[in-house]
Amino acid sequence: MTTVPAPIHSTSDPRMGLGERLHGWAVSVDHKRLGIMYIAAGLIFFVIAGLEATLMRLQLIAPLNDVLTPQGFNQMFTMHGTTMVFLVGMPVLLGFGNYLIPLMIGARDMAFPRLNAFGLWLFVFGGILLYYSWIGGDGLYGLGGAPDTGWFAYSPLTSKAFSVGHATDYWILGIMVSGFGSMTTAINFIATILCMRCPGMTMMRMPLFVWLMLTVAILVLVALPVLTGAQVMLLLDRFLGAHFFDPQQEGSVILWQHLFWFFGHPEVYILVLPAFGFISEIIPVFSRKVIFGYPLMVAATVSIAFISLGVWAHHMFVIGMPPWLNSLFAASTFLIAVPTGMKMFNWIGTMWGGRIRFDTPMLFATGFLVMFLFGGLTGIMLAVVPFDWQLSDSYFVVGHFHYVLFGGTILAVFAAIFYWFPKAFGRMLSEPMGQWTFWLLMIGLTLVFLPMHMSGILGMPRRVYTYQPGRGFEIWNLISTIGVPFQIAAVLLLVINVVKSLKSGRVAGPDPWDAWTLEWETASPPPSENFRKIPTCTSARPLWDRKHPEDPDSNYE
């Protein structure tokens, strides 16, 4: 590991024209640019998925509404779910990993920069392929048509008999291609974290975000190939006469469910664990305390990853599994609540007695704790088999997973944007606009998703394009739809904030939050090689040690 000072190159030259700048970004292998492009692409898909969700809420604002056709509604919830999971959550979180991991471990770049760029463009190509289905999905059968089988594409809906045309094929290929991109990125994360840490940075001195991304990368490599294999089997069914999922030819539709959910449940943790990483970095800085129980946080992370590979069938309680299997998967689902609860206690323990500053990142982090706790508790309720039998495929489930993935992951992503934007662009985001964004998003989130629990308990099934009046669903659907404008206003305010701050935001300096991890040691934005010379790490809070040589953390390790 060299300590020779490296030349500092500017990442952008103001004399360049727009074409040269775009070309520079397109051919870049710099992990920071790739990370920003990952995040930007994910946020563009976030807006698209939000528009799809808005159309669905408008359709359901009143019974017997006709904003969308039944076919159009099916396409909307399929594309919304697929987009949010594969084209929003994955790239945004991998983008943060790309940007932050080398900076946090004191490295100059990822282990395989070209493979890194290859992964990004695979993801972009996969996303375009999926959305091309709006144009080419019906092939020779007609004009356009997106996939309409739901984001988990159960058999036999995906068979040729029920999915005429090529929309489902675009779904398969788009997800498969972007999945290869995610796997290459995961390989890069693992190699970088294991092999390129700066001198002194042992595994137990790594920032918790890096630990969580290492765990996520391993989960991606274990879970995603299973989905890819299932998708290859589905392609063989559709084009070469195989019958893996055809019950009329001794195939099994249940086999698809097992294969899909073996990927699908760890995918939830792939989307949530990076959010845990953001929160674990933000809460200590704004509480002015070291993270409470660092070794326990690492142990809980590894435990969650391990247990998450053994809970997939809790999505399948209603298919009629033997009682012992129901009991086994119910028990494993309860078990995963233990390490997750440990993390909640550790975050609260970090805040307890701290000198808390409620700047915008901390506001979002606190909102995350509340919303994720609520989503987690409803998840435990769904682990009770008889309860799940009553509410499976109802709007209660929709409310539950939106509290986990929107109230959890998206709030944490907003926290991360406000926290690391100054590092990436050298400018501070507006604090008043940030606080308005937080409150608008919290109000919108609560109005949209909380009533879904009630409509689900009353018996409203998910994925129905309309409902009859007089069943008690009207008021809850009306409230849910009223919450949508609040969410739109929050996102618009964030966009305005970003544009305004890029033009005239307050200069951030290298360390605007008085933080302790290595990314705050270098300039904002960082030079192309990240550091003038490779830093050294003396504890889990190396910048604290530099700022407080009279009382460094290294004395207590």
Side-chain angles (χ1 to χ4, degrees):
M1 201 66 76
T2 180
T3 57
V4 176
I8 300 298
H9 298 152
S10 173
T11 54
S12 63
D13 185 343
R15 293 168 298 181
M16 287 181 172
L18 179 62
E20 285 179 293
R21 285 170 179 265
L22 290 177
H23 178 263
W25 280 82
V27 300
S28 177
V29 295
D30 184 333
H31 73 97
K32 298 180 291 297
R33 287 188 168 191
L34 294 173
I36 290 172
M37 286 192 282
Y38 258 121
I39 295 168
L43 293 179
I44 290 170
F45 280 117
F46 178 65
V47 172
I48 294 171
L51 292 174
E52 291 161 352
T54 301
L55 286 173
M56 286 190 286
R57 287 309 330 159
L58 287 174
Q59 168 64 23
L60 295 173
I61 192 171
L64 304 178
N65 213 356
D66 57 0
V67 174
L68 293 173
T69 63
Q71 177 73 6
F73 191 85
N74 290 352
Q75 291 171 342
M76 286 297 164
F77 71 65
T78 301
M79 293 298 280
H80 170 76
T82 304
T83 303
M84 286 301 294
V85 171
F86 294 100
L87 305 182
V88 177
M90 294 286 280
V92 169
L93 299 170
L94 294 180
F96 273 103
N98 248 299
Y99 191 93
L100 291 172
I101 287 173
L103 287 167
M104 283 184 161
I105 64 172
R108 297 213 181 279
D109 206 324
M110 301 293 283
F112 310 113
R114 289 175 178 79
L115 184 67
N116 204 14
F118 181 64
L120 168 72
W121 294 112
L122 276 182
F123 151 71
V124 172
F125 181 64
I128 293 172
L129 202 56
L130 176 66
Y131 270 84
Y132 179 74
S133 62
W134 285 107
I135 302 170
D138 276 0
L140 298 176
Y141 297 90
L143 292 175
D148 57 359
T149 56
W151 83 275
F152 38 72
Y154 276 170
S155 292
L157 286 176
T158 49
S159 68
K160 283 283 188 182
F162 300 104
S163 290
V164 179
H166 297 297
T168 297
D169 305 319
Y170 282 108
W171 181 88
I172 296 170
L173 292 174
I175 301 307
M176 192 183 296
V177 170
S178 66
F180 282 123
S182 299
M183 286 187 271
T184 60
T185 303
I187 292 169
N188 225 340
F189 282 2
I190 294 171
T192 304
I193 293 168
L194 294 183
C195 303
M196 297 181 67
R197 300 190 307 280
C198 67
M201 182 166 283
T202 62
M203 294 293 282
M204 293 307 287
R205 284 178 176 172
M206 290 196 309
L208 280 171
F209 176 76
V210 179
W211 257 111
L212 284 146
M213 293 308 295
L214 175 63
T215 310
V216 164
I218 294 169
L219 273 181
V220 166
L221 292 182
V222 173
L224 209 50
V226 177
L227 175 64
T228 304
Q231 289 178 313
V232 170
M233 293 162 71
L234 185 55
L235 281 175
L236 293 175
D237 271 14
R238 287 178 60 83
F239 288 101
L240 295 179
H243 302 290
F244 292 110
F245 309 119
D246 182 358
Q248 294 183 330
Q249 299 292 334
E250 300 186 358
S252 170
V253 295
I254 302 301
L255 175 61
W256 171 267
Q257 293 194 29
H258 278 293
L259 293 173
F260 183 87
W261 286 117
F262 185 83
F263 149 79
H265 198 79
E267 172 68 11
V268 173
Y269 290 94
I270 289 169
L271 296 176
V272 166
L273 287 178
F276 290 178
F278 299 150
I279 302 304
S280 299
E281 298 300 329
I282 291 170
I283 284 181
V285 169
F286 289 93
S287 301
R288 309 312 300 162
K289 281 179 65 184
V290 67
I291 188 77
F292 178 72
Y294 176 100
L296 273 180
M297 292 290 268
V298 173
T301 301
V302 176
S303 302
I304 289 171
F306 180 74
I307 300 170
S308 74
L309 295 171
V311 298
W312 77 91
H314 76 203
H315 295 274
M316 301 162 55
F317 284 147
V318 292
I319 68 169
M321 291 189 296
W324 70 270
L325 265 183
N326 283 339
S327 303
L328 178 67
F329 283 103
S332 64
T333 306
F334 287 129
L335 187 61
I336 205 167
V338 176
T340 308
M342 286 165 55
K343 284 183 174 291
M344 293 294 293
F345 281 116
N346 283 23
W347 290 320
I348 294 169
T350 305
M351 296 170 69
W352 189 268
R355 289 182 287 113
I356 300 175
R357 298 193 326 241
F358 279 108
D359 292 318
T360 304
M362 187 61 175
L363 271 181
F364 277 104
T366 310
F368 163 91
L369 294 182
V370 176
M371 294 298 167
F372 184 77
L373 176 64
F374 187 87
L377 290 175
T378 53
I380 292 173
M381 293 162 71
L382 288 168
V384 180
V385 178
F387 190 87
D388 184 88
W389 282 343
Q390 292 297 315
L391 295 174
S392 183
D393 274 340
S394 74
Y395 260 84
F396 186 92
V397 178
V398 180
H400 153 68
F401 70 70
H402 277 91
Y403 260 80
V404 172
L405 292 181
F406 198 104
T409 301
I410 297 297
L411 284 186
V413 166
F414 272 63
I417 289 172
F418 278 91
Y419 185 60
W420 280 292
F421 183 91
K423 175 52 59 182
F425 299 101
R427 301 276 181 177
M428 301 296 290
L429 286 169
S430 163
E431 189 65 21
M433 291 175 76
Q435 302 214 359
W436 271 101
T437 302
F438 169 75
W439 287 112
L440 284 170
L441 199 61
M442 288 294 285
I443 293 169
L445 194 158
T446 304
L447 286 176
V448 172
F449 301 122
L450 189 60
M452 290 182 181
H453 296 84
M454 291 306 301
S455 56
I457 289 173
L458 291 172
M460 182 167 175
R462 64 192 291 194
R463 299 180 170 177
V464 291
Y465 90 104
T466 191
Y467 49 92
Q468 293 293 323
R471 296 189 177 183
F473 302 154
E474 292 93 332
I475 183 64
W476 306 114
N477 279 289
L478 177 62
I479 296 171
S480 283
T481 307
I482 287 172
V484 172
F486 288 90
Q487 295 187 0
I488 293 174
V491 174
L492 282 177
L493 202 56
L494 175 66
V495 173
I496 294 169
N497 197 353
V498 167
V499 173
K500 188 178 174 188
S501 299
L502 284 174
K503 286 184 177 178
S504 57
R506 181 164 59 86
V507 175
D511 185 13
W513 307 119
D514 191 15
W516 305 311
T517 40
L518 285 177
E519 76 271 25
W520 303 105
E521 187 174 70
T522 189
S524 302
S528 59
E529 291 84 4
N530 290 348
F531 303 94
R532 285 187 177 275
K533 69 175 187 178
I534 297 293
T536 56
C537 181
T538 51
S539 74
R541 296 195 302 170
L543 258 64
W544 171 273
D545 292 358
R546 310 252 209 289
K547 295 171 184 173
H548 303 277
E550 75 285 357
D551 186 28
D553 278 6
S554 54
N555 286 350
Y556 306 99
E557 289 187 351

